[in-house]
Amino acid sequence: MAIGPSLEDLLQKPNKKDEESETSELREKIREITIKEKEEETEKKAAFIGLPYINLVGFGTGPDALSTIPKQQSKELNTICFFNDGKEIRLGTVEQTDEVKKLEVELKEKHFAHVATYLISQNSFDHAFKLYDALPEIRKFIKGIEITEEEINKFEKEIKTFQDLNERIKKVSITELVTLIIAGAIKSRASDIHIEAEEHDIKVRYRIDGVLNDVAIIDKEIQTKITSRIKQLAKLKINIVDRPQDGRFAIFLKNDRIDVRVSALPTGFGESIVIRLLVASTVGLSFEELGLRGRSYKTLEREIKRPNGMIITTGPTGSGKTTTLYAILKKLNDQETKIITIEDPIEYELGGINQSQVTKEYTFAKGLRSIVRQDPDIIMVGEIRDLETAEISIQAALTGHLVLSTIHTNDAFGTIPRFLALGAKPFLLAPALNVAIGQRLVRKICENCKQEVKLDKESSERVKKLLSLLPEEDKKEYKIDLDKLKFYKGQGCEVCQGLGYKGRIGIYEIMPIEGEIEDTIIKGNLSENEIKEMAVKLGVMSMVQDGLIKASEGITSVDEVFRVAE
C-alpha cells in the first residue's frame, strides 16, 4: 500500500492552476507581512509622538460615529471618527496635522464632548473609509428642536420689552408661540419658564437671575393646545393630565446646546408647566467668572490640589452649588485623572468624566460604594442627605480620594454641625474635611443704566460695621476706605428689560478646616456660632462681606446683597 506520492508523481510538471494558487497565496502572505510591519511602524510612531494607537481593521464603527465627520473632509484629512457616544469622540488619523488639531477643537465645541485622537495606519484608514460606501446615505438626525439664529435675531429686533412679547404672542400659531416663548427666554437669559394655568387665563413667567418676572398673558382657550405641544416635544403622554410627568428635549443653537427639562403638574385650573433651560456653555465658567478672588480664590485653589479629603459646598437650592462643583471638576479634569460622579439628576454632560444618575435602586449610598471600587481619583456626590452617604464619603476621603459634594445648610459655618447631626463620627470627620464653601448668587447691576446712589443712614452704618470687621489684609487688597465708600444701582433700560440687573455672580465664604477648628471638631457638640467665631479669628470672609465688597466696586447693589445673604 502506497504511503506517499510515487517518483513518477514527483517528476510530473506542476498543474498550472496549482501554480497560480501557490503564487496567489504567496502574494497574500507577503501582503499580510507588509501590513503587519506597517502597523508595527505606526504603533512605534504613535508611542514616539505621544498618541494612542489603534488598528481599525475589524473594529465595528457605526453610522453615528461616521457621520461625525463628512466623507469629503475625512478623505482630505485622512482622518475618521470611529467612536461617538455623545460624551466622548475618538478620531483615527494617519498624521496629526494642524488641520486635524483644528478639527478636534471644532468637534469639542460643537458636540460639547471630550475628543481623543489615535494614530492609525493608511491601511487601517482605507479599511474604515470603505464603510462610508457600504452604509446608506447618512442623514443628520437632531434629537430635539432647532431654534435658528435667524429666529433669535428676529425676536431680538421685534421685541425689546416683555410688553412687546405679550403683544406678539397673540398673533402667532401654537407652534410659533411655543418657539417664541422659548426664544424669548433664551434672549432674556432665563433659567426657567413657568406656564401657569389660572382661572381665566394662562400666565407666562420667566425666572431671570433667580427672580420670577411676569412676561405674558395667554388666552385660556388655547391652554390644552400649548400643553400638548410642549408635552409632544418632551415626549410626555398627552392624554395623562391627572398626575405629574417629567420629560426632556434639546435645543440646538449655532454654537451652543440647551438641555430642556419639562415638568407637568396637575392643578385646580389645569396643568402647570415648568421648563428649565440648562445651557451647556455655562459649565465652562472659571473661578474668576464665578466671583472667586483674593484670599478666597487662593484658599480654594490650594485645597482642590490636595490628593484626598472632602470639599463641601453649601447653600439653598439655586445658589450655584453644582456650577461651582463643575468648575472645580473642569479645573481638575485631565488625562491622568479618573473622575466619577453620581448626580440627581445629571445637569450638564462633561467630556472625559464618568457621570452616573441616581434611581430608586441606585441611590447615592449604593452608587458611592460601587464608585469606590472603580479606582477613581476624584468622586463627586450630588448631595449628602443621610448618614450612610456621609460615612462612605468620609471613608473615601480618608483612603486617598478627593470627594466633592453638597450639603443643605445656610452657610459654611453650619457644615460641621450638619454632619454631626446626621451622625458622622467627629474623630473621622475632622481629618476628612478639607474646606467648606458657603455661597449665594447675587444679580449684577446693568452696566448700561448704572448710577451712583446714596445709602440711607441705617444701611450706611450697617455696611460700615460689617466691612470694619474685615482683616486688614483684605481692606488693603480691596482698597476699602470706610469714609469714601460708593454704591450703585441700575435704573432699568431696554438692555436689562427694565430690571436694572443683568447676569449674576457668586458671593462666597471659604472656610478651610484647619487649626483650632479641626481640633475642636473632635470634641463634638459644636454650635454654628462657635465655629463662626473661630473662622473669623482665622480671617475667613463671610458671604455678606464678600457681597458688600462687590457692591462697593459697582458689581451689585447693597439691597441685593442683603436680600440674598441675610
Side-chain angles (χ1 to χ4, degrees), residues 19-30:
E19 196 173 54
E20 288 175 357
S21 177
E22 287 174 5
T23 304
S24 178
E25 287 179 10
L26 181 61
R27 284 176 183 162
E28 184 60 29
K29 283 289 183 186
I30 293 171

Side-chain angles (χ1 to χ4, degrees), residues 249-291:
F249 61 95
I251 297 171
F252 293 87
L253 300 176
K254 186 177 179 182
N255 296 312
D256 212 342
R257 187 190 75 209
I258 300 174
D259 289 320
V260 182
R261 303 263 170 78
V262 177
S263 172
L265 182 75
T267 70
F269 298 113
E271 288 183 284
S272 169
I273 304 286
V274 175
I275 302 170
R276 167 155 280 196
L277 306 174
L278 300 169
V279 184
S281 57
T282 307
V283 192
L285 294 176
S286 64
F287 279 8
E288 294 87 350
E289 290 170 314
L290 290 174

